[in-house]
Amino acid sequence: AEDPEAVVFAAELALEFRQTWGNDVFLDMYCYRRRGHNEGDEPAFTQPEMYRKIAGHPSTSKVYSNRLIQSGDLTEQESKDIADEYLAKLDGSQRNLHNEPPRERGMPRFGRRWEGFTSVYTHDPVPTGVPLAALKRIGAAITKVPKGFTPHRKLFDPTPKTGEAASEIKSFVERQIDMIDGKEQVDWGFAEALAYGSLLVEKTPVRLTGQDCRRGTFAHRHAVWVDQITGNYHVPLNHISEDQAEFAVYDSPLSEFAVLGFEFGYSLDDPNTLVLWEAQFGDFANGAQVIIDQFIASSYSKWQRACGLVLLLPHGYEGQGPEHSSARIERFLQNCAEDNMQVCNVTTPAQFFHLLRRQMHRTFRKPLVVMTPKSLLRHPVCKSSLEDLAADRFHEVLDDPNANPDKVRRVVLCSGKLYYDFYYDANEKDPLKVNRLIPPQVAVVRVEQLYPLAEEQLRQIQRKYRKAAEWVWAQEEPQNMGAWTFIERRLRSLGIEAQYVGRDASASPATGSFRIHLREQKELVETAIEGSAPHLVLAIRPTPQKEIRGSDQALTAGS
């Protein structure tokens, strides 16, 4: 590394080789550290012999300049003049910096591709509806099977179906066609596809990466079709119109740190592309925590670099154990300050549709963290109409449409999948059977965006239910996780003294027993709606040993 010309030559050769042949190249340089950890460090404490040699060794610049002098390419005076000129430039830059008036904090610093953007967050509504006719055109295009293409039969099966069970065995694409025709309501995956398609038609590129994200971890997306005979790919979202923007989707390796770091850099460079990274499960973001903490959450505060990156993190308590239940909402919320990013846990496909479109229709870019569902992807009630996508917008708070303010005495605030558990029991085999009616004295209000919190909208809710004597925050996550520790003091600052209803504090995100999970969920819901537990605080008690049966025998009583 003391030979700069050799370093440049090797680097250029490696780059040309990679660009020509498409192979990776490793460039091995032998270097040493002159100053230790930093300028104030004393490396001789632990490496005395090595640093005696380094102290007596000339610097790289001195070694190179001596070589140029000896070869006759440079004189000693010319070498000194170059060094003096460079140091003078550094000194002058420092003096100019100190003499400039201080820049106002938060002042936009946008240019080039970022020209016209601002750094100021606002809760102002953004119109994101798409005309019904346009949605139908997009839907028809992305459900069209190319001539001669053989999709998997679960994706599209043209075989005629008869009998009463015909509607139950429809393929993925057939169901989407029914959604466009109004025979079925729109589910989560199709709402997402329509959001991407509508942006592409508006000339906004979309880029999505993540583990198995082409089909979706839960086989809910199928953004890429594979011919079952030839193995050729078909990307429906790239065949909407001739002059559309490009949809790029890539399955990535299980290296969240590397992939999310790359996508963060991509979003810095191009604010006009919707850049998304999807974790296979929400807790896979653990592997990218450094990128989230040191770059995504703080890049504007530290370097005035805005970023519109979207994180899709599957989250929800389904009784499948501690791993993959929680996307760790609490960690993201702890990083929230100065309107640095958005954290949302939405409950309907339409809300997700408008949220994605809102991200690109604003005059600013902030990272967006979305707790996406798992069981709700196919829940028969978690649906939206095409009209919801056409005429509405994203709502940061969703009021209870059935509540009568004159009768409401308890307001339950919640977020995400838990909302559906208030109406549909996980123990019930028929999910459409409503076996839990919300009493008229209870209103269930959904906080769809946890940060930045829409305080004025919550004040309106508070004024509407002014007769309510009890306010509750209900969540699936343990008390030391989820949104509770973040939102409690914010609600209190609005004059809302909310009680907590949820699982007791825990070191693990969830129980490993499906049976215990169902009991916890049932107790949680009943407490939130009926106020059956003292002080409306639910603490899950250890299960007596005699209740542990079958697959639960390996659990301890306190599990």
Side-chain angles (χ1 to χ4, degrees), residues 29 46-47 123 199 294 324-325 331 461 506:
M29 288 197 303
T46 54
Q47 301 287 341
H123 290 280
L199 289 170
Q294 294 193 252
H324 312 335
S325 290
R331 291 183 184 170
I461 294 290
S506 171

Side-chain angles (χ1 to χ4, degrees), residues 200-255:
L200 295 170
V201 170
E202 295 169 356
K203 310 293 193 300
T204 298
V206 178
R207 173 184 173 84
L208 171 65
T209 59
Q211 298 96 345
D212 292 325
C213 70
R214 291 191 297 181
R215 65 170 172 81
T217 296
F218 309 98
H220 67 286
R221 180 175 293 121
H222 291 293
V224 176
W225 300 352
V226 182
D227 191 300
Q228 298 300 294
I229 297 176
T230 66
N232 292 334
Y233 293 155
H234 173 65
V235 183
L237 282 165
N238 278 329
H239 297 273
I240 302 172
S241 65
E242 292 184 358
D243 59 346
Q244 68 171 81
E246 181 187 9
F247 175 70
V249 54
Y250 302 103
D251 288 344
S252 68
L254 291 174
S255 179

Side-chain angles (χ1 to χ4, degrees), residues 4 95 150 224 394 408 417 430 452 520 549:
R95 283 194 302 272
T150 307
V224 176
F394 179 71
V408 170
K417 165 191 161 284
D430 181 3
E520 291 177 349
R549 297 289 185 271

